[in-house]
Amino acid sequence: MENGNITKASSFYTIGLSYKKADAETRGKFSLDEIAKSRLLHQAKNEGIEALLVTSTCNRTEIYGFAQHPFQLIKLLCENSKGTVEDFQKVAYVYKNQEAVSHMFRVGTGLDSQILGDFEIISQIKNSFMQSKTLQLTNNFLERLTNAVIQASKRIKNETEISSGATSVSFAAVQYIFKNVENIANKNILLFGTGKIGRNTCENLVKHTKHEQITLINRTKDKAERLARKLDVIVKDYTDLQLEIQKADVLVVATGAQNPTVDKAILNLKKPLTILDLSIPKNVNENVLDLENVSLVHMDFLSQMTDETLENRKLHIPAAEAIIEEIKEEFLAWTKQRKFAPTIHALKEKLNSIKEGELNVQRKKITNFDEEQAELISARIIQKITNHFANHLKDENTTVDESIDWIERVFQLETSRK
């Protein structure tokens, strides 16, 4: 792989799994926290992977990168998560080159989100790219692609209404609470965890309930306190979790822990409790259902909740897809040109070399040889020849790799592609 171009030795792949085929438990096995992600990136660098981008959210875990075979990337994922190759093969997907590019556009623009038009993933892609760049795990191709996806995301937000209305997992959680918990105005709500979904859920709850009803707990108290000051809610210490759960009517769990933090052992309930687990991996042990008066809802169920807002968003899919196609075609045209540019440059040098040799012969043969006129005519001929080859390679019906190989063999060219 040279100059950010895909070669025969190295192809661009997307490997991963998402909510479409993998349930929450399986997604949890393959989820990567910041430590695991950093470990994966360092391993990739040590193993000679040139460019790689890793995203891990509650809905998907994916690697976008260059490899001679996709198993190189699958191996990285499995060795740095709790997932196995066997688990991966059951629910995962592998896309190559243009399919991988198309997939990244759909993910980054919210068209592949669990809730249509949810654009939170684009900030993940941005941050993941910067993390890779810090480790020098990016190249021109990946940087250009990431910027193109960001551009498409911005245009879709600004030019369509695909993200209009309040529809997200956090909003769905609040809807569920209001529809299923009677007399919510007089009930206590405990939010455990202040990650992205936790913060959004808390903000939605504050909009629709009394502030004094909401208590916030986080392992790192200062994070909870910063959010509490912004939203004017109560904060308690992590050590008070068990006591606060006993007081709560609704418990929303949105932590980033890799193992369950709530199970029946810490529930000493004297009244009904509704638990919403918005975490991946799941942070509430299923054994809480052994207790009477406990109901447990996971985010996968909440994500299936559709309303008029979501149906209206679907009307804007064609407009969003048109924007994606426009920007994607520009990107693919750039990659195509980048691929054949070294060959055209080498061809021009070869023709100039032939020209110099022939002019030297003619200088010796012809008295009063018109050097300036000969240079002008030969330069114009060389430019016309190289333009013909370049236009052929730009043609969308051209098989670029085959044409490049043919040109390089015929003219005996040495290029940086080799």
Side-chain angles (χ1 to χ4, degrees):
M1 231 284 300
E2 296 283 349
N3 300 320
N5 299 319
I6 302 169
T7 69
K8 291 179 181 176
S10 182
S11 297
F12 181 64
Y13 290 100
T14 298
I15 67 102
L17 63 157
S18 74
Y19 67 93
K20 289 184 176 179
K21 287 183 68 177
D23 59 21
E25 183 177 352
T26 304
R27 298 201 306 276
K29 290 180 182 178
F30 288 95
S31 68
L32 301 166
D33 59 17
E34 288 306 310
I35 294 173
K37 191 188 292 187
S38 177
R39 193 168 58 236
L40 187 156
L41 291 171
H42 281 91
Q43 183 179 336
K45 191 166 181 65
N46 291 336
E47 293 182 2
I49 299 292
E50 180 185 355
L52 181 122
L53 187 154
V54 184
T55 60
S56 185
T57 71
C58 54
N59 294 329
R60 68 181 69 247
T61 298
E62 293 182 330
I63 297 177
Y64 301 89
F66 286 87
Q68 294 177 354
H69 191 279
F71 185 73
Q72 292 172 273
L73 305 182
I74 296 167
K75 173 176 167 287
L76 284 171
L77 176 58
C78 293
E79 289 181 356
N80 290 282
S81 69
K82 296 179 181 178
T84 64
V85 174
E86 290 75 21
D87 290 335
F88 183 88
Q89 289 173 332
K90 290 175 186 174
V91 297
Y93 41 81
V94 175
Y95 300 116
K96 183 178 180 180
N97 292 342
Q98 287 198 27
E99 283 189 347
V101 168
S102 296
H103 180 74
M104 188 169 173
F105 270 99
R106 292 189 69 83
V107 169
T109 56
L111 294 191
D112 201 65
S113 295
Q114 194 166 22
I115 293 182
L116 178 67
D118 186 347
F119 283 96
E120 289 183 10
I121 184 66
I122 195 64
S123 60
Q124 269 261 357
I125 289 173
K126 287 180 190 176
N127 294 337
S128 296
F129 177 81
M130 294 310 299
Q131 193 173 2
S132 293
K133 192 167 187 177
T134 301
L135 293 173
Q136 297 181 318
L137 266 172
T138 61
N139 59 19
N140 292 338
F141 180 100
L142 190 58
E143 183 161 11
R144 184 90 174 209
L145 174 58
T146 302
N147 287 334
V149 172
I150 292 169
Q151 181 190 358
S153 175
K154 286 180 180 176
R155 280 193 54 189
I156 289 170
K157 277 184 185 178
N158 294 333
E159 297 174 26
T160 78
E161 295 181 27
I162 204 165
S163 60
S164 61
T167 303
S168 64
V169 171
S170 54
F171 183 72
V174 174
Q175 282 186 310
Y176 179 87
I177 291 169
F178 277 85
K179 288 178 182 177
N180 293 277
V181 179
E182 293 182 6
N183 196 21
I184 188 64
N186 298 314
K187 299 294 175 68
N188 295 320
I189 302 169
L190 174 62
L191 180 66
F192 178 33
T194 57
K196 183 77 172 179
I197 291 179
R199 291 196 303 272
N200 290 347
T201 303
C202 193
E203 288 173 1
N204 278 316
L205 285 169
V206 164
K207 289 177 186 176
H208 301 287
T209 60
K210 299 173 185 174
H211 292 207
E212 62 267 21
Q213 287 178 253
I214 302 171
T215 301
L216 193 59
I217 291 180
N218 194 60
R219 285 179 184 272
T220 309
K221 191 176 181 182
D222 61 338
K223 289 183 180 179
E225 287 175 335
R226 284 198 296 272
L227 182 60
R229 283 194 293 272
K230 176 183 174 184
L231 300 178
D232 190 25
V233 296
I234 301 165
V235 175
K236 295 288 184 177
D237 290 327
Y238 175 64
T239 53
D240 294 327
L241 179 63
Q242 191 167 351
L243 179 63
E244 292 302 319
I245 289 176
Q246 292 176 23
K247 298 177 184 177
D249 299 286
V250 177
L251 169 63
V252 180
V253 182
T255 75
Q258 292 297 299
N259 297 297
T261 52
V262 175
D263 62 19
K264 71 176 184 180
I266 68 168
L267 302 184
N268 182 21
L269 304 179
K270 298 177 175 60
K271 59 180 178 177
L273 178 65
T274 298
I275 304 176
L276 282 72
D277 187 357
L278 309 185
S279 311
I280 293 290
K282 290 181 178 179
N283 271 205
V284 179
N285 195 313
E286 298 282 340
N287 66 16
V288 299
L289 294 173
D290 295 342
L291 303 174
E292 292 184 13
N293 294 328
V294 172
S295 63
L296 173 63
V297 177
H298 194 263
M299 68 178 302
D300 277 358
F301 174 79
L302 296 173
S303 297
Q304 294 167 12
M305 293 174 63
T306 58
D307 58 13
E308 188 178 349
T309 299
L310 195 54
E311 291 304 311
N312 288 338
R313 288 184 178 191
K314 291 179 182 178
L315 300 175
H316 303 283
I317 291 176
E321 289 178 334
I323 291 171
I324 289 173
E325 281 306 306
E326 179 186 335
I327 296 174
K328 187 175 72 174
E329 285 307 311
E330 290 174 2
F331 171 75
L332 293 176
W334 173 83
T335 62
K336 201 172 184 179
Q337 188 165 345
R338 294 276 298 184
K339 181 179 283 190
F340 66 69
T343 301
I344 294 298
H345 179 71
L347 174 62
K348 198 166 188 177
E349 285 188 342
K350 182 76 172 210
L351 294 175
N352 275 315
S353 176
I354 294 170
K355 175 201 76 171
E356 287 301 326
E358 188 58 31
L359 290 182
N360 283 333
V361 171
Q362 298 306 320
R363 285 188 193 103
K364 294 173 184 177
K365 282 184 178 181
I366 302 172
T367 308
N368 300 322
F369 179 66
D370 192 337
E371 185 94 28
E372 186 177 346
Q373 189 70 7
E375 280 284 353
L376 179 63
I377 293 170
S378 55
R380 285 176 62 84
I381 291 171
I382 288 171
Q383 189 61 49
K384 286 181 181 294
I385 291 170
T386 52
N387 283 348
H388 273 287
F389 279 106
N391 289 334
H392 166 74
L393 291 168
K394 288 177 184 177
D395 192 293
E396 61 182 22
N397 296 316
T398 297
T399 306
V400 177
D401 286 327
E402 289 181 8
S403 294
I404 287 174
D405 287 341
W406 181 84
I407 294 168
E408 291 178 355
R409 284 200 307 272
V410 169
F411 290 95
Q412 299 177 333
L413 304 178
E414 290 293 330
T415 73
S416 58
R417 293 175 68 250
K418 300 299 185 184

